Amino acid sequence: MRSPRRFRHAVLAALSAGVLLTATGCGGAGDRTTKGTTGTAEAKDVLLQPLAEPGPGPFTRSTVRAAPSPSPTRSPEEDGGSATRTVHRVSGAVPGLYGGVRSEAACDVGQQARLLAADRDTARAFAETAGVEAVQIPGYLRSLTPVVLRADAQVTNHGYSAGSATAFQAVLQAGTAVLVDSRGLPRVRCACGNPLGEPVIAKGQVTHRGERWPGYDPARILAIGPGVQPVTGLVIVNTADNTWIERTVGDDGGRDRTPDDPPPFEPSDDLLFPSPARPSEPEAPEATPSAPAPAEPEEPQCPDPSAPDGPAELPRGCPPPMEPDPGTEAPDDFDGMPTDEPWEMDEPGAVPEPTQVFPGEPDDFDEFDEFGEPVDSGVPEPFAG
């Protein structure tokens, strides 16, 4: 099984292999209809073709199985007829480039072969453009795979006129049903039976003719090129439930299955176009300096109430001096911290009181019996047991 990382790198490499070609689309004066565009392969003259619009010189009638309803359109003049267009080259083998419904073909390949076989001149013109013999058309069509585009794509389209095929550049709307070969290259447009080829991308000003559809973005146009080598199956997106489908090349959907090694990204991920530059994240607003918290009122510096020369008036908040109890002596006045030197006694023979007193301890006995009890006169008390 392929490594997901290598698979993703291969996909991104295929996506970035093409050069982005940018040109300014300018809607100059002139004919804005599809008339007159058939017969020109001029790359600076590009025809916009909506989903179900057959366009000029169709080879056959539509063979799309479920013909979509054409979307409301608007003309190029509505937005000035001028826009910067960017064409993104992409390999036809990229997973997710095409879509479809599981077990359903986007085109009726058998009907397409019958329609071309019904007119010898049309079949001959088609075969010359496709690079096959006329008798090989049925087999050639059956070797192609019916899918739908998932993005607007420029192609070299071919109309049929006066017994021959005439080339012109066209942008096909996303959702257009096409037949693609084993390298992922669109070969037939099912709405008109026209053979398709790789686009010719012009530099400079490009004239857009025809009708634009809602969502058309000239900066998001694909130019699909052939994959590096033929494949046996295309990994497409199931447009019904947004899951992966592996469709066998040349099959009408009857052998659709879930890929054994699905792409390492979701079908909804937009990898067909470079991500737009993300706007820089706004800087965090500077913190508004908050008002300083009110300072707690300082405690008043109260003088020593025992000082003999204290102030006449005490600061506000200071307790009044306590009058000494006439029945008690004033406490000792130490000058600084006490020292380790022996205390000087004011009265001879006076001793400091002990810090702990054991009540009931006799002070007239100096001997104790074997149980630790004091005795007197040397005679032990009778045993109470």
Side-chain angles (χ1 to χ4, degrees):
M1 181 178 293
R2 292 170 291 178
S3 168
R5 179 176 296 179
R6 294 180 59 189
F7 190 100
R8 185 177 182 86
H9 287 175
V11 171
L12 296 179
L15 291 172
S16 61
V19 180
L20 304 185
L21 302 178
T22 306
T24 302
C26 181
D31 185 12
R32 289 295 179 184
T33 68
T34 58
K35 296 179 180 179
T37 59
T38 301
T40 174
E42 177 58 49
K44 296 181 181 296
D45 189 24
V46 179
L47 176 64
L48 303 180
Q49 294 193 275
L51 285 175
E53 181 63 37
F59 270 69
T60 66
R61 66 176 184 267
S62 176
T63 59
V64 178
R65 284 189 180 272
S69 301
S71 304
T73 56
R74 54 190 175 90
S75 64
E77 287 84 352
E78 291 182 17
D79 59 359
S82 175
T84 300
R85 68 191 301 265
T86 305
V87 180
H88 305 267
R89 294 190 182 275
V90 63
S91 167
V94 170
L97 177 62
Y98 299 107
V101 178
R102 187 163 186 146
S103 302
E104 295 183 14
C107 311
D108 190 335
V109 177
Q111 183 183 17
Q112 185 68 65
R114 290 190 296 270
L115 291 174
L116 287 172
D119 189 313
R120 182 176 301 179
D121 292 337
T122 302
R124 179 183 51 79
F126 182 95
E128 289 178 355
T129 305
V132 298
E133 299 291 334
V135 294
Q136 295 175 324
I137 290 178
Y140 169 72
L141 293 177
R142 285 194 297 269
S143 72
L144 305 179
T145 310
V147 291
V148 296
L149 293 170
R150 295 189 65 228
D152 298 344
Q154 182 170 335
V155 297
T156 296
N157 204 340
H158 298 82
Y160 177 74
S161 177
S164 62
T166 53
F168 62 97
Q169 294 303 302
V171 173
L172 306 181
Q173 184 182 1
T176 297
V178 292
L179 299 177
V180 301
D181 62 17
S182 60
R183 294 178 184 263
L185 191 66
R187 287 301 189 183
V188 179
R189 182 171 181 240
C190 302
C192 53
N194 292 4
L196 304 175
E198 291 186 62
V200 178
I201 308 300
K203 297 181 180 180
Q205 294 184 340
V206 175
T207 300
H208 288 179
R209 303 185 184 276
E211 298 177 329
R212 299 190 182 188
W213 45 87
Y216 169 74
D217 186 351
R220 292 172 62 90
I221 300 176
L222 295 182
I224 303 172
V228 177
Q229 58 186 4
V231 295
T232 58
L234 297 174
V235 179
I236 66 175
V237 175
N238 188 340
T239 57
D241 58 9
N242 200 40
T243 58
W244 292 115
I245 298 174
E246 183 172 346
R247 177 163 291 179
T248 303
V249 170
D251 186 66
D252 61 0
R255 290 185 286 172
D256 284 354
R257 63 187 183 90
T258 302
D260 294 331
D261 188 12
F265 50 88
E266 296 299 322
S268 57
D269 292 345
D270 186 4
L271 298 182
L272 299 178
F273 300 97
S275 300
R278 296 181 178 178
S280 57
E281 296 183 0
E283 297 180 358
E286 297 182 0
T288 305
S290 57
E296 296 182 0
E298 297 182 358
E299 296 183 0
Q301 297 294 330
C302 299
D304 184 1
S306 63
D309 53 350
E313 294 184 1
L314 294 175
R316 180 177 298 178
C318 291
M322 298 181 63
E323 297 292 337
D325 187 353
T328 61
E329 297 181 358
D332 293 336
D333 186 10
F334 292 99
D335 293 332
M337 298 296 293
T339 65
D340 294 336
E341 297 180 1
W343 291 6
E344 295 182 359
M345 306 305 175
D346 294 298
E347 297 179 6
V351 294
E353 294 183 352
T355 58
Q356 189 175 5
V357 177
F358 295 95
E361 184 175 299
D363 55 356
D364 55 345
F365 300 107
D366 55 4
E367 293 183 6
F368 299 85
D369 61 14
E370 59 181 339
F371 300 101
E373 297 292 337
V375 296
D376 61 342
S377 304
V379 180
E381 293 182 358
F383 182 69

